[in-house]
């Protein structure tokens, strides 16, 4: 992706490469939709990318940000997770997980922002070039293993 891309460009690029993107995420991910529409009250909201993970039996919401991580982004992700759990999740499914992909992050700011969050959320930097496939699979495996341990 060019350095001066938008969130929409990032999303469209991922959709174009969806098969490869899902393979990079690991097995058991099912694509549900892009710009997944949720209605809360009288307003419409859109989750950038929504997946289902068969092994974890939960929805996985991806929020894409073309900027450096800001703590307020977590509020949006938590809002989406609450809406998914109240209105979309089936009774037999586990609580939804959020993945916030940002262009850059300050790990200390992320730590402070996540410290009181009750929702399972991961903040990750994205690169305009995909990292090594094994490294990406390892990181996602660690995320989901840690999530299972905290339940």
């Amino acid at each position: 992706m060019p350095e001066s891309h938008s969130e929409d460009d990032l999303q469209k690029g991922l959709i174009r490469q969806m098969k490869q993107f899902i393979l990079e995420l690991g097995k058991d991910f099912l694509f549900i939709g892009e710009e997944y529409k949720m209605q809360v009250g009288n307003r419409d909201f859109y989750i950038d990318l929504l997946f289902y993970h068969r092994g974890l039996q939960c929805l996985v919401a991806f929020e894409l940000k073309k900027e450096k991580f800001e703590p307020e982004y977590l509020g949006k992700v938590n809002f989406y997770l609450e809406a998914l759990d109240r209105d979309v999740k089936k009774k037999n499914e586990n609580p939804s997980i959020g993945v916030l992909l940002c262009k850059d992050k300050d790990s200390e700011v992320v730590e402070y922002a996540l410290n009181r969050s009750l929702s399972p959320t991961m903040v990750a930097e994205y690169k305009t070039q995909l990292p090594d496939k094994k490294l990406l699979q390892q990181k996602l495996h660690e995320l989901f293993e840690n999530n299972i341990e905290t339940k």
Side-chain angles (χ1 to χ4, degrees):
M1 302 217 47
E3 191 61 34
S4 62
H5 62 278
S6 68
E7 289 171 17
D8 189 54
D9 293 336
L10 176 62
Q11 182 176 332
K12 285 182 178 13
L14 288 174
I15 297 300
R16 276 193 307 274
Q17 301 293 324
M18 187 56 69
K19 181 179 177 183
Q20 186 63 33
F21 181 65
I22 291 173
L23 290 173
E24 294 291 336
L25 289 174
K27 65 179 184 172
D28 287 344
F29 273 92
L30 303 170
F31 178 65
I32 295 176
E34 64 178 302
E35 291 296 318
Y36 185 84
K37 184 179 178 180
M38 304 261 333
Q39 186 171 22
V40 177
N42 294 323
R43 294 182 54 195
D44 293 336
F45 297 89
Y46 299 88
I47 298 172
D48 290 333
L49 298 170
L50 185 60
F51 291 85
Y52 184 79
H53 191 279
R54 290 179 55 219
L56 297 174
Q57 295 187 335
C58 69
L59 296 163
V60 181
F62 281 76
E63 179 68 14
L64 308 173
K65 295 294 181 192
K66 72 173 194 154
E67 306 296 330
K68 186 173 186 171
F69 171 81
E70 294 293 338
E72 55 265 26
Y73 296 162
L74 285 179
K76 188 174 189 180
V77 171
N78 286 329
F79 175 81
Y80 289 157
L81 296 178
E82 183 65 24
L84 286 169
D85 286 350
R86 286 189 190 194
D87 302 334
V88 180
K89 178 179 91 70
K90 307 282 188 221
K91 290 181 183 183
N92 63 311
E93 295 173 347
N94 291 314
S96 302
I97 295 173
V99 178
L100 177 56
L101 289 175
C102 300
K103 183 172 184 174
D104 194 13
K105 68 177 182 177
D106 178 323
S107 295
E108 191 170 2
V109 173
V110 171
E111 180 185 337
Y112 274 57
L114 284 174
N115 196 45
R116 294 184 186 234
S117 177
L118 301 177
S119 299
T121 304
M122 174 188 162
V123 177
E125 296 174 55
Y126 70 84
K127 306 290 182 194
T128 55
Q129 299 288 321
L130 280 176
D132 177 66
K133 181 177 179 178
K134 289 181 182 182
L135 175 65
L136 188 56
Q137 287 173 332
Q138 175 190 347
K139 293 286 187 188
L140 286 166
H141 179 73
E142 289 170 6
L143 164 71
F144 292 114
E145 286 298 317
N146 289 338
N147 184 51
I148 290 171
E149 291 171 8
T150 59
K151 289 184 180 177

